[in-house]
Amino acid sequence: MSAPEGDKIEKLINPIETYPPSPEFIDGTKIPADIRERAAADRLAFWADQARELEWETPFTEVLDWSNPPFAKWFADGKLNVAVNCVDRHVHAGRGDKVAIHWIGEPGDTRTITYNDLYAEVQRAANMLEDLGIKAGDVVTLYLPMLPETIFAMLACARIGATHSVIFGGFSASAIRSRVDNANARLIITADGSLRKGRQFPLKETVDEALAEPGHTIEKVIVIKRAEKDIEMIEGRDLWWHDTIATAAETHEPQAFDAEHPLFILHTSGTTGAPKGLWHSSGGYLTQTAFTFRTSFDLRDDDVFWCSADVGWVTGHSYIAYGPLANGATQVMYEGAHDFPTLDRWFEIIEQYKVTTFYTAPTAIRGYMKSGREIPLRHDLSSIRLLGSVGEPINPEAWEWFREVIGADRTPVVDTWWQTETGSHMIAPIPTLDALKPGSGQKPVPGISVEVIDEQGNRVDPGEMGLLTITEPWPSMARGIWGDDQRFIETYWSQYPGRYFAGDGAGVDLDGDLWLLGRVDDVMNVSGHRLSTAEIESALVDHDLVAESAVIGAADETTGQAVVSFVVLKDSQREAAAQVDVEAELRGFVAKRIGAIARPRQVFVVAELPKTRSGKIMRRLLKNVADGKPAGDTSTLTDASVMDAIEQQVLARH
Ligand code: 6R9
């Protein structure tokens, strides 16, 4: 693994303007001023305190069991019910009338869901699942749009101890199938379709396609009506949500589960082919997710939080479903696209619902920077108190713009670094305590131990860049890769023994603050979505025309990175290739195989790929060229002229 290179170094050694919290901002905060000192004094006691903020049916006596690393157990002898923590306890505490979710449909329909409503819906959905024979330990796959029912379904699973596996609605039939097979899911909950930019997209048909080949473990498919799309219902297998839930009992007696009981599986791209099903626990996951939600966002009782992610990603799991609800917060949930019907849509929502805390991705911020500040500025955004960023490195320019334009030159911006594997925030400033630095994630979350190291495993000095590692287990860490413990050990805990290596590079500045630099491995980040080089390459070589492929993430002004692929065609297929638009064909093929987010921006058909004498594809050279830079050192290539030819081809397209 090579350490990151780049121009961030300037930021690490030069002082920059920072933004200390204003007295008005701090006023009324619930974050103790000595929170970091407390965590540093006794890390485990600190996490135990955070865990005790939850409601436990059986209190835990043991905090961390690290006797079999890297398989951690937190609060292992305690029992709790995650759904009770997210719903019932707020109702029992007399806060049932508080709005949990202001839901906004893309066409403009709205629903207001209080904690009382959530309580009723989740109980019925839990009974519905149990009526269908689903029980603790079963896996339920969700392939859904951003609907209130999506949250009801997740919480209903949690309530009965079923493990949910949410698949982002943009993934393809084959992606669904591999995830269903990987988890041996018994049931799928989907919708007749989703609404996006005024159009209907198939979901149920995609599920049908995924299940067309026999040999899967799915017994029933529950379908939520949303798009009013004509779909086929398969007798004996498919059921409408509204019909099925209508016959379910209204009240459901919850049972407590072990803290280590698997709450969910979420698949994410790694450096090798098949996506990994990371699985998360109940007690530890909820402890840190709830803690970071209230701390990073300095939660207040009357906040209206909005996270613009999709629940299909980990951000949606932790900061739409579990974090806000565990804290009894009010949030906005929006079904559709940010630019439908116009680019004003997000700002209309902020204005109308008086959103106080807005959590989004740098790619969206950069998009709005491009379309112009007049769009947000024609709305009253004065309710905003705090802004958050997640998903990819935020460049200081985007950070400043976010604060100045969306935050009225006044609000803190917290950059939050974390991963599907970490479950919740790991690096983030605390907005009431820290002078904020544009573009820096700044400090580990209290109770988290981070170290930036060089390739030999030594801690780097201030002012330098290196590899981001975590040196101690944390409550919301993934407990494993579903069904593949060995891969979990190898992927995360073997490169630098005793440490979790995140795959990211980071710099440490002279104040000791952290700067996140993005991936240093073969994982791409397109609009904050993780994609694997290897997975796209293997999709491409599955196409009849393609002999070899190399995929890289090229720099892209808006999306951060964009998928660019280089392919060598099979000699035997040259004639066939001449009959089609190869680029369009392959772009479409990848979209169908993996999902539209993986569709390459460009496909270059090249005569040969640049390879070392040992046969390794030199993706770094391809990336340089795609970024419009000189290829770099080609001396290790078998044939340096291969890169010259590719450079010419790429230049011709720029
Ligand atoms: C939450 C999420 C994880 C990868 C991670 C890193 C990148 C996320 C970031 C960030 C710089 C931030 N990433 N947040 N990079 N600054 N604030 O995005 O999870 O989809 O698993 O992606 O995203 O490269 O390794 P996930």
Side-chain angles (χ1 to χ4, degrees):
M1 197 60 52
S2 49
E5 302 162 6
D7 46 18
K8 267 269 158 54
I9 200 89
E10 277 298 302
K11 304 275 177 211
L12 303 181
I13 53 176
N14 289 330
I16 55 167
E17 194 195 343
T18 62
Y19 298 93
S22 66
E24 304 81 72
F25 179 79
I26 298 173
D27 189 36
T29 185
K30 295 178 190 162
I31 302 173
D34 63 349
I35 189 164
R36 284 209 182 92
E37 289 74 18
R38 281 198 216 174
D42 190 341
R43 207 176 81 83
L44 296 183
F46 172 79
W47 283 122
D49 284 347
Q50 301 314 323
R52 285 189 201 100
E53 297 280 316
L54 300 175
E55 185 177 299
W56 294 81
E57 168 81 23
T58 309
F60 56 90
T61 60
E62 187 183 327
V63 181
L64 168 66
D65 174 358
W66 191 231
S67 57
N68 178 30
F71 301 98
K73 291 185 177 151
W74 285 86
F75 320 118
D77 60 349
K79 284 184 193 289
L80 82 174
N81 185 296
V82 168
V84 166
N85 272 280
C86 291
V87 185
D88 307 27
R89 75 175 161 136
H90 309 309
V91 172
H92 296 150
R95 295 190 298 268
D97 288 336
K98 185 167 176 180
V99 174
I101 303 172
H102 289 291
W103 179 83
I104 301 141
E106 196 190 70
D109 48 336
T110 59
R111 288 162 69 182
T112 306
I113 293 137
T114 63
Y115 278 92
N116 280 332
D117 298 333
L118 201 55
Y119 188 41
E121 297 283 0
V122 172
Q123 292 188 76
R124 279 176 46 194
N127 284 324
M128 169 176 77
L129 293 178
E130 285 186 344
D131 292 349
L132 292 170
I134 301 297
K135 53 188 190 326
D138 289 339
V139 176
V140 174
T141 295
L142 310 184
Y143 184 65
L144 285 166
M146 289 278 283
L147 302 175
E149 280 73 12
T150 309
I151 304 294
F152 306 159
M154 291 167 85
L155 292 170
C157 288
R159 192 175 185 92
I160 66 168
T163 301
H164 59 67
S165 164
V166 180
I167 303 176
F168 172 61
F171 277 124
S172 65
S174 58
I176 299 173
R177 180 58 184 264
S178 65
R179 286 157 171 77
V180 162
D181 288 349
N182 179 237
N184 292 322
R186 289 187 61 195
L187 177 88
I188 297 187
I189 306 180
T190 187
D192 56 347
S194 63
L195 304 178
R196 193 104 191 140
K197 301 200 185 202
R199 289 166 49 206
Q200 294 179 330
F201 283 85
L203 291 175
K204 171 64 166 60
E205 281 115 307
T206 313
V207 168
D208 290 343
E209 200 187 325
L211 301 182
E213 288 283 318
H216 58 75
T217 46
I218 296 296
E219 295 157 33
K220 295 274 185 247
V221 176
I222 302 184
V223 187
I224 295 167
K225 204 182 208 65
R226 172 58 184 157
E228 303 287 341
K229 206 170 180 303
D230 260 342
I231 51 158
E232 192 196 339
M233 294 292 278
I234 296 175
E235 187 73 40
R237 188 195 75 180
D238 299 349
L239 302 161
W240 285 105
W241 169 287
H242 58 265
D243 287 342
T244 320
I245 207 163
T247 59
E250 277 176 17
T251 57
H252 178 272
E253 195 56 47
Q255 180 197 335
F257 298 97
D258 288 346
E260 285 297 319
H261 188 76
L263 178 62
F264 66 85
I265 304 170
L266 186 57
H267 289 81
T268 190
S269 300
T271 50
T272 52
K276 300 176 289 234
L278 274 318
W279 73 269
H280 282 277
S281 70
S282 300
Y285 169 80
L286 199 65
T287 294
Q288 193 177 330
T289 299
F291 167 73
T292 51
F293 177 75
R294 61 181 173 263
T295 308
S296 303
F297 303 126
D298 177 33
L299 182 67
R300 309 297 176 94
D301 293 340
D302 48 4
D303 268 349
V304 179
F305 176 77
W306 182 16
C307 166
S308 72
D310 189 285
V311 280
W313 309 110
V314 75
T315 305
H317 279 61
S318 300
Y319 299 101
I320 296 177
Y322 294 109
L325 300 177
N327 282 288
T330 296
Q331 70 179 316
V332 160
M333 182 177 180
Y334 170 53
E335 175 185 40
H338 71 290
D339 56 352
F340 187 82
T342 68
L343 276 165
D344 291 271
R345 188 67 189 268
W346 275 8
F347 307 109
E348 286 164 4
I349 292 173
I350 292 173
E351 181 168 6
Q352 188 180 350
Y353 289 88
K354 301 202 167 26
V355 170
T356 59
T357 314
F358 184 48
Y359 188 36
T360 192
T363 187
I365 301 167
R366 290 192 295 265
Y368 277 110
M369 283 169 80
K370 243 192 349 204
S371 34
R373 63 175 64 201
E374 61 280 6
I375 299 168
L377 288 181
R378 60 185 172 230
H379 300 277
D380 176 5
L381 307 180
S382 58
S383 56
I384 292 185
R385 200 174 64 71
L386 177 76
L387 297 167
S389 173
V390 61
E392 42 178 331
I394 182 162
N395 45 313
E397 300 70 30
W399 194 105
E400 295 273 11
W401 188 93
F402 199 27
R403 181 184 184 281
E404 184 189 326
V405 179
I406 312 299
D409 217 359
R410 159 178 66 79
T411 70
V413 174
V414 290
D415 181 23
T416 60
W417 178 91
W418 58 295
Q419 307 175 297
T420 305
E421 292 84 345
T422 72
S424 60
H425 299 167
M426 298 293 282
I427 298 175
I430 297 179
T432 51
L433 300 177
D434 296 322
L436 300 177
K437 277 186 190 170
S440 168
Q442 300 192 231
K443 295 191 168 25
V445 160
I448 298 297
S449 313
V450 167
E451 237 175 54
V452 180
I453 59 171
D454 63 20
E455 283 155 49
Q456 284 71 50
N458 304 313
R459 187 201 276 258
V460 304
D461 290 328
E464 302 204 327
M465 294 184 282
L467 307 169
L468 182 61
T469 67
I470 301 159
T471 59
E472 300 285 349
W474 61 100
S476 68
M477 66 195 270
R479 296 303 195 257
I481 293 176
W482 196 252
D484 199 346
D485 284 352
Q486 199 48 37
R487 192 172 171 204
F488 184 69
I489 301 173
E490 280 161 18
T491 313
Y492 302 109
W493 296 86
S494 293
Q495 260 158 314
Y496 300 96
R499 295 165 183 273
Y500 171 86
F501 172 51
D504 279 45
V508 185
D509 69 18
L510 297 184
D511 300 328
D513 280 338
L514 296 159
W515 292 73
L516 286 319
L517 305 175
R519 305 293 302 198
V520 294
D521 55 12
D522 290 329
V523 174
M524 286 174 281
N525 192 324
V526 177
S527 296
H529 300 149
R530 268 169 77 161
L531 296 170
S532 146
T533 298
E535 195 184 356
I536 302 175
E537 286 176 356
S538 82
L540 283 165
V541 293
D542 271 350
H543 193 283
D544 277 346
L545 295 177
V546 178
E548 281 184 285
S549 74
V551 168
I552 54 107
D556 186 284
E557 229 179 78
T558 308
T559 57
Q561 288 189 320
V563 180
V564 173
S565 56
F566 298 84
V567 297
V568 178
L569 300 182
K570 288 180 188 151
D571 281 338
S572 60
Q573 299 290 325
R574 299 237 175 246
E575 259 171 49
Q579 312 296 316
V580 292
D581 177 344
V582 176
E583 178 162 21
E585 168 67 24
L586 295 180
R587 291 178 71 231
F589 187 74
V590 173
K592 178 134 185 49
R593 263 307 165 85
I594 303 174
I597 47 163
R599 188 195 310 271
R601 184 183 76 186
Q602 289 160 317
V603 177
F604 292 99
V605 177
V606 299
E608 260 181 86
L609 295 173
K611 286 188 189 160
T612 61
R613 288 183 180 81
S614 61
K616 285 211 169 65
I617 299 172
M618 293 286 283
R619 293 188 186 77
R620 195 191 285 252
L621 305 181
L622 293 169
K623 177 168 164 47
N624 287 342
V625 167
D627 288 347
K629 297 187 202 149
D633 184 2
T634 54
S635 62
T636 56
L637 294 185
T638 336
D639 177 0
S641 70
V642 167
M643 268 322 291
D644 295 337
I646 294 177
E647 236 173 318
Q648 294 305 325
Q649 254 180 291
V650 174
L651 275 176
R653 287 274 291 274
H654 268 295

PDB file of all heavy atoms in Angstrom, residues 53 82 99 109 121 125 183 336 355 408 460 561 571 638:
ATOM      1  N   GLU A  53     -26.999   5.346  28.201  1.00  0.00           N
ATOM      2  CA  GLU A  53     -28.029   6.290  27.723  1.00  0.00           C
ATOM      3  C   GLU A  53     -29.150   5.530  27.008  1.00  0.00           C
ATOM      4  O   GLU A  53     -30.227   6.060  26.773  1.00  0.00           O
ATOM      5  CB  GLU A  53     -27.425   7.303  26.741  1.00  0.00           C
ATOM      6  CG  GLU A  53     -26.352   8.198  27.336  1.00  0.00           C
ATOM      7  CD  GLU A  53     -26.960   9.332  28.133  1.00  0.00           C
ATOM      8  OE1 GLU A  53     -27.928   9.941  27.664  1.00  0.00           O
ATOM      9  OE2 GLU A  53     -26.461   9.587  29.259  1.00  0.00           O
ATOM     10  N   VAL A  82     -33.461  -2.866  19.875  1.00  0.00           N
ATOM     11  CA  VAL A  82     -33.096  -1.637  19.164  1.00  0.00           C
ATOM     12  C   VAL A  82     -34.344  -0.818  18.809  1.00  0.00           C
ATOM     13  O   VAL A  82     -34.356   0.411  18.938  1.00  0.00           O
ATOM     14  CB  VAL A  82     -32.251  -1.972  17.911  1.00  0.00           C
ATOM     15  CG1 VAL A  82     -32.104  -0.757  17.003  1.00  0.00           C
ATOM     16  CG2 VAL A  82     -30.875  -2.504  18.331  1.00  0.00           C
ATOM     17  N   VAL A  99     -42.861  14.939  16.362  1.00  0.00           N
ATOM     18  CA  VAL A  99     -42.713  14.432  14.997  1.00  0.00           C
ATOM     19  C   VAL A  99     -41.380  13.691  14.884  1.00  0.00           C
ATOM     20  O   VAL A  99     -40.329  14.218  15.253  1.00  0.00           O
ATOM     21  CB  VAL A  99     -42.767  15.582  13.964  1.00  0.00           C
ATOM     22  CG1 VAL A  99     -42.456  15.068  12.554  1.00  0.00           C
ATOM     23  CG2 VAL A  99     -44.136  16.258  13.998  1.00  0.00           C
ATOM     24  N   ASP A 109     -46.426  15.102  -2.390  1.00  0.00           N
ATOM     25  CA  ASP A 109     -47.265  14.586  -1.305  1.00  0.00           C
ATOM     26  C   ASP A 109     -46.418  14.521  -0.031  1.00  0.00           C
ATOM     27  O   ASP A 109     -45.204  14.363  -0.096  1.00  0.00           O
ATOM     28  CB  ASP A 109     -47.844  13.200  -1.658  1.00  0.00           C
ATOM     29  CG  ASP A 109     -46.794  12.224  -2.201  1.00  0.00           C
ATOM     30  OD1 ASP A 109     -45.762  12.690  -2.739  1.00  0.00           O
ATOM     31  OD2 ASP A 109     -46.999  11.007  -2.079  1.00  0.00           O
ATOM     32  N   GLU A 121     -47.063   1.820  13.674  1.00  0.00           N
ATOM     33  CA  GLU A 121     -46.673   1.212  12.382  1.00  0.00           C
ATOM     34  C   GLU A 121     -45.653   0.091  12.577  1.00  0.00           C
ATOM     35  O   GLU A 121     -45.723  -0.941  11.916  1.00  0.00           O
ATOM     36  CB  GLU A 121     -46.068   2.284  11.458  1.00  0.00           C
ATOM     37  CG  GLU A 121     -47.027   3.405  11.079  1.00  0.00           C
ATOM     38  CD  GLU A 121     -48.034   2.994  10.013  1.00  0.00           C
ATOM     39  OE1 GLU A 121     -47.992   1.836   9.553  1.00  0.00           O
ATOM     40  OE2 GLU A 121     -48.871   3.850   9.654  1.00  0.00           O
ATOM     41  N   ALA A 125     -46.079  -3.818  11.591  1.00  0.00           N
ATOM     42  CA  ALA A 125     -45.148  -4.416  10.623  1.00  0.00           C
ATOM     43  C   ALA A 125     -44.413  -5.604  11.253  1.00  0.00           C
ATOM     44  O   ALA A 125     -44.161  -6.613  10.590  1.00  0.00           O
ATOM     45  CB  ALA A 125     -44.167  -3.367  10.115  1.00  0.00           C
ATOM     46  N   ALA A 183     -26.572 -13.721   1.869  1.00  0.00           N
ATOM     47  CA  ALA A 183     -27.144 -13.631   3.211  1.00  0.00           C
ATOM     48  C   ALA A 183     -28.196 -14.710   3.474  1.00  0.00           C
ATOM     49  O   ALA A 183     -28.743 -14.777   4.563  1.00  0.00           O
ATOM     50  CB  ALA A 183     -27.756 -12.246   3.408  1.00  0.00           C
ATOM     51  N   GLY A 336     -37.061  12.174  -3.205  1.00  0.00           N
ATOM     52  CA  GLY A 336     -36.676  12.307  -4.608  1.00  0.00           C
ATOM     53  C   GLY A 336     -35.338  12.953  -4.882  1.00  0.00           C
ATOM     54  O   GLY A 336     -34.438  12.993  -4.054  1.00  0.00           O
ATOM     55  N   VAL A 355     -35.451  23.496   8.589  1.00  0.00           N
ATOM     56  CA  VAL A 355     -34.383  22.555   8.903  1.00  0.00           C
ATOM     57  C   VAL A 355     -33.277  23.297   9.646  1.00  0.00           C
ATOM     58  O   VAL A 355     -32.860  24.387   9.237  1.00  0.00           O
ATOM     59  CB  VAL A 355     -33.838  21.914   7.604  1.00  0.00           C
ATOM     60  CG1 VAL A 355     -32.564  21.111   7.861  1.00  0.00           C
ATOM     61  CG2 VAL A 355     -34.916  21.032   6.964  1.00  0.00           C
ATOM     62  N   ALA A 408     -25.062  31.024   5.844  1.00  0.00           N
ATOM     63  CA  ALA A 408     -25.140  32.463   6.116  1.00  0.00           C
ATOM     64  C   ALA A 408     -23.877  33.013   6.765  1.00  0.00           C
ATOM     65  O   ALA A 408     -23.952  33.890   7.619  1.00  0.00           O
ATOM     66  CB  ALA A 408     -26.371  32.775   6.976  1.00  0.00           C
ATOM     67  N   VAL A 460       3.456   8.899  11.675  1.00  0.00           N
ATOM     68  CA  VAL A 460       4.077  10.008  10.936  1.00  0.00           C
ATOM     69  C   VAL A 460       4.145  11.243  11.827  1.00  0.00           C
ATOM     70  O   VAL A 460       3.370  11.390  12.778  1.00  0.00           O
ATOM     71  CB  VAL A 460       3.343  10.353   9.612  1.00  0.00           C
ATOM     72  CG1 VAL A 460       3.220   9.134   8.705  1.00  0.00           C
ATOM     73  CG2 VAL A 460       1.980  10.986   9.878  1.00  0.00           C
ATOM     74  N   GLN A 561     -14.767  11.657  -8.151  1.00  0.00           N
ATOM     75  CA  GLN A 561     -14.141  10.763  -9.109  1.00  0.00           C
ATOM     76  C   GLN A 561     -15.188  10.291 -10.102  1.00  0.00           C
ATOM     77  O   GLN A 561     -16.386  10.343  -9.823  1.00  0.00           O
ATOM     78  CB  GLN A 561     -13.546   9.544  -8.395  1.00  0.00           C
ATOM     79  CG  GLN A 561     -12.296   9.883  -7.601  1.00  0.00           C
ATOM     80  CD  GLN A 561     -11.607   8.625  -7.088  1.00  0.00           C
ATOM     81  OE1 GLN A 561     -12.241   7.682  -6.652  1.00  0.00           O
ATOM     82  NE2 GLN A 561     -10.287   8.633  -7.146  1.00  0.00           N
ATOM     83  N   ASP A 571      -9.594 -10.528 -30.139  1.00  0.00           N
ATOM     84  CA  ASP A 571      -9.295 -10.567 -31.573  1.00  0.00           C
ATOM     85  C   ASP A 571     -10.442 -11.205 -32.343  1.00  0.00           C
ATOM     86  O   ASP A 571     -10.843 -10.731 -33.400  1.00  0.00           O
ATOM     87  CB  ASP A 571      -8.010 -11.378 -31.816  1.00  0.00           C
ATOM     88  CG  ASP A 571      -6.791 -10.528 -31.511  1.00  0.00           C
ATOM     89  OD1 ASP A 571      -6.933  -9.280 -31.532  1.00  0.00           O
ATOM     90  OD2 ASP A 571      -5.724 -11.094 -31.224  1.00  0.00           O
ATOM     91  N   THR A 638       6.572  -3.322 -19.630  1.00  0.00           N
ATOM     92  CA  THR A 638       7.162  -4.212 -20.630  1.00  0.00           C
ATOM     93  C   THR A 638       7.398  -3.421 -21.914  1.00  0.00           C
ATOM     94  O   THR A 638       8.393  -3.591 -22.591  1.00  0.00           O
ATOM     95  CB  THR A 638       6.177  -5.362 -20.980  1.00  0.00           C
ATOM     96  OG1 THR A 638       5.306  -5.533 -19.902  1.00  0.00           O
ATOM     97  CG2 THR A 638       6.894  -6.614 -21.335  1.00  0.00           C
TER      98      THR A 638
END
